[in-house]
Amino acid sequence: MSVSTNHPAQSVVSTFDVHDPATGAVVGTYPVHDRHAVDTAVAAAHEAATWWRDLGFAGRARHLDAWRAEIAAGRDELAHIIHREMGKPVSDAKLEIAMALEHLRWAARNAEKVLGRRTVPSSLLTVNHVATVEYLPLGVVGVIGPWNYPVFTPLGSISFALAAGNAVVFKPSEYTPGVGLWLAEAFTRTAPAEPVLQVITGLGETGNALCRSGVGKIGFTGSTATGKLVLAACAENLTPVLMECGGKDALIVDADADLDAAADAAVWGGLSNAGQTCLAVERVYVHADVYDEFLAKLVAAASRIQAGAADSKIGPITMPKQLSVIRRHIEDAVARGARAVLGGPEAIDRQFVQPTILVDVPEDAAAVTEETFGPTLTVAKVRDMDEAVELVNRCAYGLGGTVFARRNGRDIADRIRAGGISINAFVAHATIPALPLGGVGASGFGRVHGPDGLKEFTYAKATTRQLFPSPLPLTSFRRDHRVDAIVDQLISVLHGRKRQ
Ligand code: NDP
């Protein structure tokens, strides 16, 4: 059994195994923390939260910088744990760590500027007051994370929640508990006496207990279906929730696009991490004028990618149950008239799925409307960019998107309903620390990263101080007819005359 110093040992009644998705070998055994253990962790976190809050922005930034250095120093070990637990190539795991560290640095450096106390103007009627606003920590934040980016994704919440002054109790996915524990142990080396960042391990029930534990907020990243369960559990205590859910992102190719760059982005966006990316390109819409040329480039590039070999650029499908979803989407599309120009139903072999490109897929097929989470792409020909935008926006999800165009990229991007769009590159908006990341519709609500991501884990506090008594006693029973008349006149001056 894996041993950890920073998660509660009480009330462990059972354990669960983690399997290497490529081989099925057991690579770790972890405790299932029950409700009592979760409540114990949250109670300890409440105590630590006071110490952490009182360190102030500068004190916390020093710890967060030290944690960043610990992660950077241990990146080889961490990348191998990611690879072992969820299957992505070690080099991709390193890239994921690099991206997460950028966001961690940004959060530590910018928390005071974004959240610190500042004076705001008062108004004509309140000119005798000085007004300030500041953003205060919620206390303890519960973070529930997925396995597909087991460092980048939870740190999107954890780094920002910590920088804002909260303690965190983190429930990693049951597929990647070792990654979560490694991160928390690295933090504990920088603050050994205080359980500011704890990890609880277990299955869905453990996450449910965290939702019901009375934390100040839950930062959830995962599927839309689980997000609904989290929301329902949080309703019990009116616990607010950040929802980073699934997606069905599209890539649009206009007639004047750089087709080589667009094909390269579509292949990486659709196939990297074996397609198990919330922001993965799952649908491609291509202007009719360049459709054939683009498709030829896409298929040529995708056929060079293979899953399964020791040095493959894409790994196995992490969750065994996802294979049936991928199979259903491909088989249903083909049964409804689609053609597999690469891969197809036979692309699925044990835990590996070879790149699959489907064309002529009906727009209401599951392969177009539901998150597939596999190395598959649907490609559709559109007569113009109006049709492309219309089809992209028909989807219930609205997480991200990519546009390749020389002249009208910005115009097309502005018309897409999604939390973020990258023009002439894939996923850049998720990697720039000052930009918010999140979705609309079935992709969730709230934001990680950037100033919005810091404010997400705080509450706004407004304070006023009266500098001198108002000549107009407005909020007093001393207000008389003379003051009422002045207020009436002021309304006319400031906002318009009364109807006669
Ligand atoms: P899941 O929804 O299956 O699980 C997410 C987390 O929720 C896991 O830690 C899981 O624990 C936990 N959980 C499960 N049931 C409950 C419950 N009843 N109450 C509380 N927590 C629970 O998602 P995956 O881990 O499979 O991740 C993939 C999904 O995440 C995809 O849909 C992807 O699009 C989305 N995602 C979204 C991102 C974004 O930024 N919007 C980023 C990355 C991924 P356990 O694993 O133990 O079941």
Side-chain angles (χ1 to χ4, degrees):
M1 181 183 300
S2 303
V3 178
S4 165
T5 52
N6 58 15
H7 65 130
Q10 303 94 326
S11 309
V12 173
V13 291
S14 60
T15 60
F16 65 102
D17 292 336
V18 178
H19 299 264
D20 178 330
T23 63
V26 173
V27 293
T29 301
Y30 296 88
V32 173
H33 287 118
D34 66 6
R35 185 152 188 192
H36 177 68
V38 172
D39 288 345
T40 304
V42 171
H46 273 295
E47 309 243 321
T50 307
W51 173 79
W52 182 244
R53 182 198 62 200
D54 291 347
L55 284 181
F57 291 109
R60 289 196 294 271
R62 275 194 294 278
H63 280 282
L64 293 174
D65 285 346
W67 185 35
R68 185 159 56 84
E70 284 286 329
I71 297 171
R75 61 186 179 275
D76 285 344
E77 188 186 12
L78 181 58
H80 278 92
I81 300 173
I82 297 173
H83 169 69
R84 227 175 20 245
E85 291 196 329
M86 60 71 61
K88 75 172 61 170
V90 169
S91 74
D92 281 1
K94 286 249 187 88
L95 181 64
E96 176 184 345
I97 294 167
M99 298 293 180
L101 293 178
E102 289 289 290
H103 289 281
L104 174 54
R105 174 166 58 187
W106 192 94
R109 298 222 166 138
N110 290 278
E112 183 160 21
K113 192 167 75 190
V114 175
L115 306 174
R117 186 180 297 177
R118 67 173 199 273
T119 304
V120 298
S122 50
S123 65
L124 194 66
L125 288 177
T126 59
V127 74
N128 58 323
H129 296 271
V130 62
T132 60
V133 63
E134 64 198 308
Y135 295 85
L136 299 178
L138 296 163
V140 180
V141 167
V143 173
I144 298 175
W147 48 264
N148 60 339
Y149 289 85
V151 172
F152 181 79
T153 296
L155 283 198
S157 288
I158 295 170
S159 304
F160 289 72
L162 289 173
N166 302 282
V168 170
V169 178
F170 172 34
K171 152 71 179 73
S173 163
E174 70 195 65
Y175 293 94
T176 52
V179 176
L181 282 166
W182 192 98
L183 290 168
E185 281 163 6
F187 185 91
T188 301
R189 287 195 289 279
T190 77
E194 300 285 346
V196 173
L197 172 59
Q198 297 173 81
V199 164
I200 48 168
T201 55
L203 314 182
E205 273 304 301
T206 304
N208 176 272
L210 185 58
C211 295
R212 295 158 71 205
S213 66
V215 290
K217 185 155 188 167
I218 290 287
F220 170 78
T221 309
S223 63
T224 305
T226 306
K228 291 178 185 175
L229 299 176
V230 165
L231 206 52
C234 286
E236 221 171 79
N237 292 318
L238 210 63
T239 301
V241 193
L242 158 74
M243 279 280 149
E244 292 287 337
C245 299
K248 188 73 186 175
D249 287 359
L251 182 145
I252 292 178
V253 185
D254 201 357
D256 66 351
D258 176 338
L259 298 187
D260 289 316
D264 186 58
V267 168
W268 168 261
L271 308 183
S272 60
N273 208 24
Q276 303 167 114
T277 302
C278 52
L279 292 152
V281 175
E282 296 211 355
R283 306 177 284 156
V284 185
Y285 294 98
V286 190
H287 195 290
D289 290 354
V290 293
Y291 177 83
D292 291 337
E293 195 185 343
F294 171 81
L295 189 61
K297 288 177 188 291
L298 180 70
V299 172
S303 19
R304 289 195 283 273
I305 307 300
Q306 273 254 313
D311 58 349
S312 284
K313 292 200 185 318
I314 62 174
I317 298 302
T318 308
M319 286 195 301
K321 67 179 183 208
Q322 196 64 26
L323 289 163
S324 59
V325 174
I326 299 168
R327 180 175 285 112
R328 176 169 61 81
H329 287 192
I330 297 174
E331 287 179 353
D332 168 70
V334 170
R336 297 181 61 186
R339 282 183 303 123
V341 292
L342 183 69
E346 64 286 356
I348 302 171
D349 178 20
R350 293 161 297 128
Q351 204 54 29
F352 293 93
V353 178
Q354 301 304 334
T356 290
I357 296 176
L358 301 166
V359 297
D360 303 332
V361 186
E363 278 296 308
D364 61 351
V368 176
T369 60
E370 296 173 21
E371 190 177 50
T372 306
F373 237 51
T376 67
L377 289 158
T378 64
V379 187
K381 188 190 293 184
V382 289
R383 69 175 176 277
D384 55 25
M385 290 298 101
D386 289 344
E387 187 183 13
V389 169
E390 209 267 308
L391 293 175
V392 168
N393 286 344
R394 235 186 238 177
C395 187
Y397 292 105
L399 192 55
T402 313
V403 175
F404 272 83
R406 284 203 167 88
R407 220 167 28 145
N408 294 325
R410 182 67 209 223
D411 173 62
I412 299 162
D414 288 349
R415 291 155 65 200
I416 294 171
R417 175 180 164 273
I421 302 286
S422 297
I423 303 168
N424 294 335
F426 168 67
V427 93
H429 68 274
T431 63
I432 294 175
L435 284 178
L437 176 68
V440 294
S443 293
F445 45 82
R447 294 292 180 265
V448 293
H449 302 174
D452 302 84
L454 283 166
K455 285 186 183 168
E456 195 69 45
F457 298 106
T458 63
Y459 66 96
K461 184 163 183 192
T463 308
T464 63
R465 183 164 59 87
Q466 181 167 287
L467 298 171
F468 53 87
S470 170
L472 297 177
L474 298 176
T475 53
S476 161
F477 290 117
R478 288 186 290 112
R479 200 179 67 227
D480 56 16
H481 292 308
R482 183 188 65 88
V483 175
D484 283 343
I486 294 173
V487 169
D488 198 59
Q489 274 180 356
L490 274 173
I491 293 173
S492 286
V493 171
L494 294 174
H495 307 292
R497 298 200 160 277
K498 249 192 269 192
R499 231 177 269 123
Q500 294 303 323

